[in-house]
Amino acid sequence: MTIVDTPERRQLRELTRAFVTREVLPHLADWERAGEVPRQLHATAAKIGLLGIGFPEAVGGSGGDLLDSIIVTEEIIRSGGSSGLVAALFTHGIALPHMVAAAGAGSGGKLPRRSGDAPGSVDPTGREHDLIDRYVRPTLAGSMIGALAITEPDGGSDVAGIRTHARLDGDHYVVNGAKTYITSGVRADFVTTAVRTGVPGGGELSLLVIDKGTPGFTVGRRLDKLGWHCSDTAELSFVDVRVPVANRIGEEDTGFLAIMQQFAAERLSLATHAYAIAQRCVELAVSWCRDRSTFGRPLASRQLVRHRLAEMHTRAEAARAYVHQVAARVAAGEPVVTEVAMAKNVAVSAADRVVDQALQLHGGFGYLRDAEVERHYRDARILGIGGGTTEIMNEIIAKGMGL
């Protein structure tokens, strides 16, 4: 089982490559220096249907599924874009799925009717539909930006240990706490936020959508990072922030399960970043070694260099094949938690090795900011940390082995 290369997916690849060539490559260096991508890029991507890939048309998306989203990510990076660009432009890929799932609209599915629209509605409150209209549709249209806030300053990967607390007060929650390392946190118009609605140490978490500008909600300093320079990252603070109960996603205390259910897609997305970076770096290294001569001979004419390039290519292609295989199983509904963790680790390991070797082959030029391979070297480092660290993935794999 793998990703089938249909005519529609070939067209999607072509559309993505054209978008990167026309809208990204002329400006990417400027966005790296600015520390963010412009809001207009979201609208442009939405207009041609890229922003909504993987989201059902019933909620304003372009259709397709996880596999189509993987193709878009892969092509952006292999066309000369960056992992940081994908993170910034497609942050809604982690900010919106919980709302879509709570409204009952799966990939390619239909949104259940509101209670007032027809007899027999499955949604008597209309709250989930309201979240779709207020947040999902505008974001997929490119007019809003959303972020996901889970990680806390002293929590790391410990989702169950979240301390940000939401106390019910009438028809509002009062939220207090802090989040950090929030992708698109500076530009986001709203943040899907994990909060504790039960006792400390318990599993009672909920998800609230918190609007920027809500009194007590402060976007802290922009965090400077090793890589992902065009993807803004922020600290968030919540001090007695009043959030309407209507902004809760799903039922109270169901947030932990909702977060866990979306981790597979996030981890496979990061695995795609990793193997696509590896593939792109192989292409860059091959081109460099063909054109660059030392001691009167092209680098590619030397056996040591050829064998190194062969090894790099093998690692990148093997990682891609395994990630595609696991992604196809996830899309088919198979419970492959262990395999997802292995796919992420395999792809990250391949990227780590390949980008290091690619930069080495570029010599002194590879160490300069003008070199694309230098950017990939920096961007790749976050992939073994985000979405669950390599160590957390290994723990999941060990449990899957019965250890």
Side-chain angles (χ1 to χ4, degrees), residues 129-192:
H129 292 82
D130 184 53
L131 293 177
I132 295 293
D133 291 339
R134 289 165 55 204
Y135 298 107
V136 177
R137 294 185 194 278
T139 302
L140 296 179
S143 60
M144 292 184 77
I145 296 173
L148 176 67
I150 295 178
T151 305
E152 298 185 345
D154 58 354
S157 297
D158 184 12
V159 176
I162 282 174
R163 296 186 181 183
T164 298
H165 187 264
R167 173 178 57 84
L168 189 60
D169 181 23
D171 58 357
H172 283 73
Y173 287 99
V174 179
V175 179
N176 285 277
K179 301 290 182 179
T180 193
Y181 313 138
I182 306 307
T183 301
S184 295
V186 176
R187 298 179 304 135
D189 300 296
F190 66 90
V191 181
T192 299

Side-chain angles (χ1 to χ4, degrees), residues 96-371:
L96 300 182
H98 315 87
M99 297 185 222
V100 175
S107 178
K110 296 181 178 180
L111 191 66
R113 294 182 178 272
R114 301 173 192 266
S115 57
D117 290 344
S121 168
V122 299
D123 180 18
T125 66
R127 178 165 50 82
E128 283 78 12
H129 292 82
D130 184 53
L131 293 177
I132 295 293
D133 291 339
R134 289 165 55 204
Y135 298 107
V136 177
R137 294 185 194 278
T139 302
L140 296 179
S143 60
M144 292 184 77
I145 296 173
L148 176 67
I150 295 178
T151 305
E152 298 185 345
D154 58 354
S157 297
D158 184 12
V159 176
I162 282 174
R163 296 186 181 183
T164 298
H165 187 264
R167 173 178 57 84
L168 189 60
D169 181 23
D171 58 357
H172 283 73
Y173 287 99
V174 179
V175 179
N176 285 277
K179 301 290 182 179
T180 193
Y181 313 138
I182 306 307
T183 301
S184 295
V186 176
R187 298 179 304 135
D189 300 296
F190 66 90
V191 181
T192 299
T193 309
V195 298
R196 179 165 298 286
T197 42
V199 298
E204 298 85 2
L205 304 180
S206 298
L207 290 171
L208 301 179
V209 184
I210 306 180
D211 294 304
K212 178 180 286 186
T214 303
F217 174 23
T218 304
V219 177
R221 64 188 177 96
R222 182 193 299 266
L223 301 175
D224 294 326
K225 309 183 297 297
L226 170 68
W228 277 15
H229 283 180
C230 68
S231 174
D232 59 288
T233 307
E235 295 175 329
L236 309 179
S237 174
F238 307 95
V239 180
D240 293 334
V241 179
R242 295 187 65 83
V243 181
V245 171
N247 279 31
R248 189 186 68 225
I249 300 173
E251 297 304 313
E252 190 173 87
D253 299 337
T254 62
F256 184 81
L257 178 59
I259 293 168
M260 293 298 109
Q261 289 174 335
Q262 299 302 328
F263 263 149
E266 181 181 0
R267 288 167 179 166
L268 287 173
S269 174
L270 292 172
T272 304
H273 284 235
Y275 78 67
I277 285 175
Q279 288 184 302
R280 178 63 177 174
C281 285
V282 170
E283 294 164 0
L284 293 171
V286 168
S287 177
W288 175 265
C289 291
R290 281 174 172 164
D291 296 339
R292 179 73 168 174
S293 293
T294 60
F295 304 101
R297 292 172 53 189
L299 281 176
S301 69
R302 303 180 186 279
Q303 185 184 64
L304 176 65
V305 172
R306 292 199 307 272
H307 287 192
R308 184 171 298 181
L309 291 170
E311 180 194 68
M312 293 160 59
H313 180 58
T314 301
R315 287 177 182 270
E317 292 302 312
R320 179 179 186 265
Y322 187 58
V323 172
H324 279 203
Q325 180 192 100
V326 174
R329 295 178 65 186
V330 170
E334 293 186 35
V336 287
V337 176
T338 302
E339 288 81 358
V340 167
M342 290 192 294
K344 184 173 185 291
N345 277 4
V346 164
V348 168
S349 177
D352 288 346
R353 174 67 176 175
V354 170
V355 296
D356 180 76
Q357 293 300 308
L359 192 146
Q360 184 73 17
L361 287 169
H362 276 75
F365 177 65
Y367 199 65
L368 301 181
R369 282 292 169 91
D370 290 339

Side-chain angles (χ1 to χ4, degrees), residues 5-22 48 50 71-72 74-76 79:
D5 191 22
T6 64
E8 292 78 14
R9 286 183 175 144
R10 286 193 291 272
Q11 292 176 358
L12 181 59
R13 291 184 186 278
E14 293 171 3
L15 175 67
T16 304
R17 285 195 295 269
F19 169 77
V20 172
T21 301
R22 182 179 63 251
I48 62 174
L50 277 185
I71 286 171
V72 171
E74 178 182 317
E75 287 303 315
I76 287 177
S79 299

Side-chain angles (χ1 to χ4, degrees), residues 60-76:
S62 305
D65 56 17
L66 170 67
L67 308 184
D68 297 299
S69 299
I70 284 175
I71 286 171
V72 171
T73 296
E74 178 182 317
E75 287 303 315
I76 287 177

